[in-house]
Amino acid sequence: MIVVTTVDDLRTALRDRAGRSVGFVPTMGALHRGHLELLHRARAENDVVVLSVFVNPAQFNDPADLAAYPRTDEADRAHAEQAGVDIYFAPTAEAVYPPGFSATVALSGPIVETFEGARRGAGHFHGVTTVVTKLFGMVRPDRAYFGQKDAQQLRVVRAMVADLNIDVRIVDVPTVREPDGLALSSRNVRLSADERATALGLSRALTAGEAAHRRGVTAAEIVLAAELVLSEFGVNPEYLAVVDDADFRQLHEVPPPGSVLIVAAEVGRTRLIDNVVLT
Amino acid sequence: MIVVTTVDDLRTALRDRAGRSVGFVPTMGALHRGHLELLHRARAENDVVVLSVFVNPAQFNDPADLAAYPRTDEADRAHAEQAGVDIYFAPTAEAVYPPGFSATVALSGPIVETFEGARRGAGHFHGVTTVVTKLFGMVRPDRAYFGQKDAQQLRVVRAMVADLNIDVRIVDVPTVREPDGLALSSRNVRLSADERATALGLSRALTAGEAAHRRGVTAAEIVLAAELVLSEFGVNPEYLAVVDDADFRQLHEVPPPGSVLIVAAEVGRTRLIDNVVLT
């Protein structure tokens, strides 16, 4: 595994591997089994695997949140090496945003304004689309891997790639869960034992929503079924909705296959999100 | 020469030529000798030459101006064929901006806000950067060719490519001029004989500014020398300034090599622009 920190060194490393297919996994580090799943998929489908580790200041609206974001560089490298990563790209903020930088890549509409967009501010997804466009420019991957866990981010990236005609295939990888259903997240470590039990309400609520969907009911009824389970667990959702697969617009009718049931909630002081695709 | 009108057909045509270097000339059609110079340069330096002809609605602030923009498709194809173009890409507006499209690629700062940016509105250069990012995504060229005539647009594209880490070399091609110095422009045909004589003031003023620069004077004195010539020709400039090569910020001190003396003026009802690089 080669470790590079500048765009020039990354390009040199990629030039040495020209003509081979490139799979790319962009992350903010603090790698857990969810990320490893992305890496395994990339490793299976490509000649060359590139992992980027970059805590992107542009997608944090709260400087304290940015400062508190976990950095586990040494462990990340060990995980990456074990997962068969060829190029580990960990640029500095200055390498990504040099002096004079002024570009923004922005989408508009519900896909960036609702749910996580509303919660984190309009700038959040602009920060995501700008940095992902840049990373795609640097790496020029054939395939890029995103977790279904961040459902809205995945769809924002898909829309951006379509809108800007970027020639990369976006591969989404199912959420990795604990045996009892809890979706993996770097934030789970912050949960106390009691909170851990409460947090289970999210995935259980999604399962109830899925079951309701199989009975052919409307989005409103799916949400109601999920809400019931959340309240049994004592979870008060920040949002709970069925949304369109492409543009993340909230649905109220009987949802077509591919629609997504999404939930966000604070459990203690930890904000958790989860979702399930209604097939 | 292959003529394609959809992104899919373009990509198929390019896939058939994989592994060969691609030179790209993006235009709005109405090809004149200035464009042909770009094509000749692209032909000399690449295995495959792609020409795009797309009158981009997003970079017009005035619908009447968009409607009046010359369309000379048949002549353009003949010119392109003769210049050795391999792929002639003439997409419809719907192919470039399909339903649901919502992306914007925007720079900020003087480079997009001053001079042509001020005149045409902030949206103009956002329209340029968005469509050029898209075209680069579609064509994935090794080199792209832009005329020095549109000095600010050239620098906006350079800044965008740097900011977004797009892996393409931007090649600038010197302005093509009539024997007496008038810069080629699709708009020159609108000039009456008298206006044609007056229009010569622009290039003559730039020559005077260049001569002043060689004496080592300040930007203010360069502008003064150019202004004198403009007034002899009865031209009242919309702007006349020395600007920084990279960010198009106006300079007042002794300009470093590479700075650009720019001018815009209405001659009769025709707006003309011209510039010279101070070497």
Side-chain angles (χ1 to χ4, degrees), chain B residues 59 61 112-127:
Chain B
Q59 68 195 70
N61 55 338
V112 293
E113 290 158 11
T114 59
F115 305 111
E116 292 304 300
R119 161 78 189 199
R120 303 191 189 197
H124 168 69
F125 281 121
H126 300 164

Side-chain angles (χ1 to χ4, degrees), chain A:
Chain A
M1 186 175 83
I2 298 179
V3 177
V4 291
T5 60
T6 68
V7 180
D8 279 351
D9 286 351
L10 171 70
R11 288 219 165 118
T12 303
L14 286 165
R15 213 168 293 130
D16 293 345
R17 293 159 178 81
R20 299 205 266 156
S21 65
V22 174
F24 176 43
V25 179
T27 77
M28 302 216 295
L31 302 182
H32 54 60
R33 281 192 294 124
H35 299 106
L36 298 186
E37 197 60 30
L38 304 180
L39 290 174
H40 294 152
R41 185 81 183 270
R43 181 69 282 166
E45 298 179 349
N46 301 276
D47 300 327
V48 178
V49 174
V50 180
L51 167 70
S52 69
V53 173
F54 179 59
V55 182
N56 179 28
Q59 69 193 70
F60 286 83
N61 54 339
D62 177 358
D65 195 20
L66 171 62
Y69 202 87
R71 271 109 171 150
T72 59
D73 193 49
E74 227 164 285
D76 289 348
R77 288 193 198 197
H79 283 312
E81 180 109 50
Q82 214 164 13
V85 168
D86 297 296
I87 302 175
Y88 183 99
F89 178 47
T92 60
E94 291 67 34
V96 177
Y97 305 113
F101 173 86
S102 87
T104 304
V105 176
L107 302 185
S108 63
I111 199 167
V112 294
E113 289 158 12
T114 60
F115 305 111
E116 292 304 301
R119 162 78 189 197
R120 303 188 189 200
H124 169 68
F125 281 121
H126 299 167
V128 170
T129 45
T130 302
V131 82
V132 174
T133 299
K134 284 173 66 67
L135 290 167
F136 285 176
M138 296 172 191
V139 177
R140 295 187 72 158
D142 297 282
R143 298 179 193 82
Y145 296 79
F146 290 83
Q148 175 63 41
K149 170 71 160 32
D150 290 309
Q152 192 166 1
Q153 173 179 278
L154 168 66
R155 281 148 187 93
V156 164
V157 170
R158 275 197 194 289
M160 175 201 85
V161 161
D163 277 5
L164 296 185
N165 307 94
I166 300 174
D167 197 7
V168 58
R169 195 166 150 221
I170 303 301
V171 181
D172 56 294
V173 177
T175 303
V176 178
R177 298 180 180 281
E178 301 286 0
D180 62 6
L182 183 72
L184 287 203
S185 162
S186 336
R187 302 179 181 209
N188 291 353
V189 296
R190 302 186 199 159
L191 299 169
S192 71
D194 277 2
E195 289 169 350
R196 174 72 181 68
T198 305
L200 208 56
L202 276 75
S203 59
R204 293 286 160 84
L206 297 178
T207 306
E210 240 182 328
H213 172 63
R214 277 195 296 270
R215 295 194 300 272
V217 301
T218 63
E221 288 168 288
I222 292 168
V223 166
L224 211 64
E227 216 156 33
L228 201 68
V229 175
L230 282 182
S231 75
E232 280 167 14
F233 277 80
V235 175
N236 184 23
E238 181 195 306
Y239 60 71
L240 175 66
V242 178
V243 296
D244 181 81
D245 173 41
D247 65 10
F248 239 68
R249 162 178 57 84
Q250 186 163 358
L251 301 178
H252 301 282
E253 68 279 29
V254 175
S259 306
V260 191
L261 175 59
I262 58 172
V263 62
E266 296 230 330
V267 175
R269 302 167 72 124
T270 307
R271 184 170 183 270
L272 301 173
I273 63 172
D274 200 354
N275 71 87
V276 66
V277 177
L278 302 172
T279 46

Side-chain angles (χ1 to χ4, degrees), chain A residues 11 102 104 106 134 163 165, chain B residues 11 102 104 106 108 134 163 165:
Chain A
R11 288 219 165 118
S102 87
T104 304
K134 284 173 66 67
D163 277 5
N165 307 94
Chain B
R11 288 219 164 116
S102 86
T104 305
S108 62
K134 285 174 65 67
D163 277 5
N165 306 95

